[in-house]
Amino acid sequence: MRVQDWLVLVLSSVRFNPLKSLLTALGIAIGIAAVTLLTALGEGVRGYVVDNFSQFGTRIISVTPGRSDTAGMGTILSSVQLLTMADRNSLARLPHAEYVIPSLQGSGSIRYGERSRSTEIHGTSADFTRAWSFPLAQGRFLPDSGGGPSPAFVVLGHTVWQELFQGRPALGQFIRVSGQRFRVVGVMQPKGSMLGFDLDDMVYIPADRALSLFNREGLMEINLVFGPGTNATDMAQRIRTHLTERHGQEDFTIITQDEMLSSLDNILSVLTLGVAALGGISLLVGGVGIFTVMTTNIRERTAEIGLLRAIGSSRRQLLSLFLGEAVILSLLGAITGMLAALAILFGLALLLPGLPLQPSPFYLLLSLLISAVIGLLAGLGPAWQASLLSPIEALRNE
């Protein structure tokens, strides 16, 4: 049998009853559409989260107090030394250290006159805006205290400024931060949200003032931005050696931005695969539908099978005919479902431009491959049954 003849026979069986073929392919189409939509959402969320974490740069190393792992009772029972402003100042003297930013955060009441607002209070240093590219709308950021006690200055986030001052000038005014008197020296430009956290609804005060305000002895975190003259691995080792010498033991955890992004990307990729697997259940349902219809076709086309066998068609040729029909029905449904899903994604992008949707070519091709395999497996049983029919018995029964 020539390839052209094989293709004509397969397509003619699909075109003979278009409604049945369409309904048969519908199950696969729904499954492919579900997989495409869910993976596009998963990939969109993954890209959105990774982009949000990457917006502050990639040459970042975070140091937090305490070890992320333990090694026996000796480590568990040993005392943990907190990260202090002295640690921060010593790290600033390391080679290739461009910015070293202490971090301490809590919640409190911000009051100006009769207006008050409960918001986040972030203790940091003068390098904050330069390291993270947070522009100012008014005034300046916190000054460098030069190692001494910091003045009681505060910088307002854009939302806090609007709520407390109603758009009026705030520079030089005094406000109460958790009951303590601070002078406003700057107002931040709108920055928006990151992962649902409003970066504009907070105020910034010097880290040493925040330690006193929250009655804490140590910092929550120290972030170091290093220059292009080194890499994250070498810089992390330099920090580890330096702090271990200061503390007498490694009682802190170092996380590079590359490690954080890699772990985050792996977790979100696994979640996307899980979502795709849930959508793939619809593909299995579509495969059952193809199996059922193909089994019914064998009984309806007994005479055709007998005639093909009588004129010399081999069992292998019959097997290939019915398998080809099942695969074509499956691919037809896959392409239909994929086009429908892409149309839905296009419509959602127009209606909800902020929704993170990102169709993945990898998952689109994988869906097509899986649909072809499902069609092949679903048609294997009926095709094998058709190839075993005796031409004499088939024609006699008809």
Side-chain angles (χ1 to χ4, degrees):
M1 183 182 296
R2 297 181 304 175
V3 176
Q4 297 92 321
D5 297 331
W6 177 87
L7 191 59
V8 168
L9 286 172
V10 171
L11 292 178
S12 63
S13 62
V14 175
R15 294 197 306 265
F16 178 74
N17 195 333
L19 182 59
K20 179 187 287 187
S21 299
L22 181 62
L23 293 176
T24 304
L26 186 59
I28 296 293
I30 294 174
I32 291 294
V35 170
T36 303
L37 290 172
L38 291 175
T39 54
L41 181 60
E43 284 291 291
V45 170
R46 185 181 70 86
Y48 172 78
V49 172
V50 172
D51 288 344
N52 271 272
F53 271 91
S54 301
Q55 66 174 316
F56 303 119
T58 56
R59 299 199 306 270
I60 304 170
I61 297 178
S62 298
V63 185
T64 55
R67 290 290 300 275
S68 60
D69 57 353
T70 57
M73 293 299 296
T75 304
I76 297 175
L77 296 178
S78 63
S79 61
V80 176
Q81 185 172 340
L82 300 175
L83 294 175
T84 64
M85 289 298 295
D87 290 327
R88 178 261 173 187
N89 295 333
S90 67
L91 288 175
R93 294 190 290 269
L94 288 178
H96 306 292
E98 288 191 345
Y99 307 111
V100 182
I101 304 98
S103 181
L104 183 64
Q105 194 161 317
S107 300
S109 175
I110 313 299
R111 177 177 293 276
Y112 173 70
E114 298 299 322
R115 297 188 181 90
S116 65
R117 182 177 182 84
S118 180
T119 187
E120 294 293 317
I121 303 169
H122 189 78
T124 185
S125 65
D127 291 335
F128 179 85
T129 52
R130 294 189 291 269
W132 308 138
S133 299
F134 273 39
L136 284 156
Q138 303 175 28
R140 58 191 176 94
F141 200 67
L142 303 172
D144 190 351
S145 63
S150 299
F153 289 164
V154 61
V155 176
L156 306 180
H158 199 77
T159 300
V160 178
W161 168 65
Q162 287 183 328
E163 291 294 327
L164 293 184
F165 290 90
Q166 305 293 303
R168 294 191 300 272
L171 300 182
Q173 301 296 324
F174 289 93
I175 65 172
R176 293 280 177 177
V177 179
S178 290
Q180 296 188 16
R181 190 168 180 259
F182 282 77
R183 183 179 180 181
V184 179
V185 295
V187 177
M188 306 297 293
Q189 286 188 14
K191 188 65 177 178
S193 299
M194 184 184 74
L195 304 179
F197 184 75
D198 190 357
L199 298 175
D200 299 323
D201 194 8
M202 62 169 51
V203 299
Y204 304 88
I205 64 175
D208 55 342
R209 291 277 177 175
L211 288 171
S212 174
L213 189 71
F214 300 132
N215 195 24
R216 291 178 60 100
E217 296 182 359
L219 301 169
M220 296 173 59
E221 188 177 50
I222 297 176
N223 293 302
L224 186 145
V225 180
F226 58 90
T230 185
N231 57 61
T233 302
D234 293 341
M235 195 67 200
Q237 184 58 44
R238 195 175 290 118
I239 295 171
R240 182 177 291 106
T241 302
H242 179 79
L243 288 180
T244 301
E245 291 177 354
R246 284 182 57 85
H247 292 191
Q249 60 178 334
E250 189 177 341
D251 54 358
F252 49 86
T253 299
I254 296 177
I255 304 174
T256 67
Q257 187 79 340
D258 292 339
E259 293 172 345
M260 186 184 303
L261 290 176
S262 177
S263 300
L264 190 64
D265 187 63
N266 290 336
I267 292 171
L268 293 174
S269 295
V270 171
L271 290 177
T272 302
L273 283 175
V275 168
L278 290 176
I281 296 175
S282 301
L283 287 177
L284 295 179
V285 175
V288 172
I290 291 179
F291 176 83
T292 303
V293 171
M294 292 298 295
T295 302
T296 305
N297 284 347
I298 299 300
R299 299 173 182 174
E300 294 177 350
R301 296 162 61 184
T302 303
E304 178 186 345
I305 295 170
L307 183 59
L308 288 171
R309 292 285 284 126
I311 62 176
S313 295
S314 65
R315 289 179 175 177
R316 180 178 295 180
Q317 289 172 337
L318 278 176
L319 185 66
S320 68
L321 284 172
F322 281 90
L323 284 178
E325 182 179 343
V327 171
I328 286 178
L329 284 174
S330 182
L331 288 176
L332 177 65
I335 294 173
T336 303
M338 194 174 296
L339 292 176
L342 291 176
I344 294 174
L345 290 175
F346 181 75
L348 289 175
L350 293 178
L351 295 174
L352 303 171
L355 187 65
L357 296 171
Q358 183 180 336
S360 171
F362 169 75
Y363 286 108
L364 293 178
L365 294 176
L366 184 62
S367 298
L368 284 176
L369 179 61
I370 292 176
S371 64
V373 172
I374 288 177
L376 189 66
L377 295 177
L380 186 60
W384 183 258
Q385 180 184 353
S387 68
L388 294 179
L389 286 177
S390 168
I392 298 176
E393 292 298 326
L395 291 173
R396 179 186 297 170
N397 291 338
E398 185 62 21

